[in-house]
Amino acid sequence: MTTLVRPATRADLPLVAQLIRDLAAYEKLSHAVRFDEATLGEHLFGPRPMAEVLVAEQDGMGQGFALFFHNFSTFEGKPGIYLEDLYVRPEARGAGLGKALLQALAGLAIARGCARLEWSVLDWNAPSIAFYRSLGARMMDEWRIMRVDSAALQQLGAVSQG
């Protein structure tokens, strides 16, 4: 079995979109998927990409992906990589694709002078938590994610628009 991790191209957009939908179904969040594929493509492969994607292939077939972007640590004074989503199709799990994706991301972080690689994991996802810990990741228990979206985002941003 041949494994390959490579940067996604615009030609991979249908695969990436399907893997995002598959991830949402796995996380029981299919109802939250609202992206338009053309807009997603512009944000990933357009003139000013907002995120990057790595694709994991097994024998030439796309079986997983990692979508990530740069963040910045003011305390470190260096960039970091934030992994937004990592997913490997169930039938391809156990073959090392998840580990290969994380190794590729860690390699990119090192090559780009990043201080760290970070991501979030759902608290009920015990298999993923165990997997991440086996790779040396540690849980940041003292931190909580905050989010402003939908109407609250519109309301908060309305002051700067006026």
Side-chain angles (χ1 to χ4, degrees):
M1 200 170 300
T2 305
T3 297
L4 172 69
V5 173
R6 61 173 178 76
T9 66
R10 189 175 281 278
D12 293 309
L13 183 58
L15 171 65
V16 171
Q18 185 56 54
L19 289 169
I20 291 170
R21 290 182 190 100
D22 293 349
L23 169 63
Y26 172 75
E27 292 181 343
K28 299 173 180 52
L29 292 169
S30 292
H31 63 278
V33 175
R34 294 185 292 269
F35 69 82
D36 169 77
E37 200 167 304
T39 303
L40 177 66
E42 281 306 301
H43 289 306
L44 295 177
F45 307 110
R48 187 172 177 235
M50 296 291 160
E52 299 174 65
V53 179
L54 295 178
V55 171
E57 293 181 347
Q58 207 172 43
D59 293 332
M61 185 171 181
Q63 296 286 16
F65 81 110
L67 188 145
F68 63 98
F69 52 88
H70 283 277
N71 57 14
F72 195 84
S73 169
T74 53
F75 288 5
E76 295 281 350
K78 293 181 179 182
I81 288 180
Y82 186 82
L83 172 60
E84 178 67 24
D85 285 317
L86 175 76
Y87 180 75
V88 174
R89 288 182 169 147
E91 63 271 19
R93 291 182 189 153
L97 293 177
K99 184 176 182 179
L101 284 163
L102 285 168
Q103 287 172 324
L105 280 173
L108 278 175
I110 293 166
R112 295 177 182 185
C114 295
R116 54 189 170 209
L117 169 60
E118 296 179 306
W119 62 93
S120 299
V121 61
L122 291 166
D123 60 1
W124 57 260
N125 196 342
S128 292
I129 292 168
F131 168 64
Y132 298 145
R133 284 188 167 146
S134 78
L135 298 177
R138 60 188 169 89
M139 190 75 67
M140 304 294 290
D141 291 325
E142 65 278 10
W143 292 91
R144 297 290 180 259
I145 298 169
M146 300 298 294
R147 177 178 292 169
V148 177
D149 61 6
S150 301
L153 178 62
Q154 294 302 314
Q155 185 176 3
L156 185 61
V159 173
S160 69
Q161 302 291 320

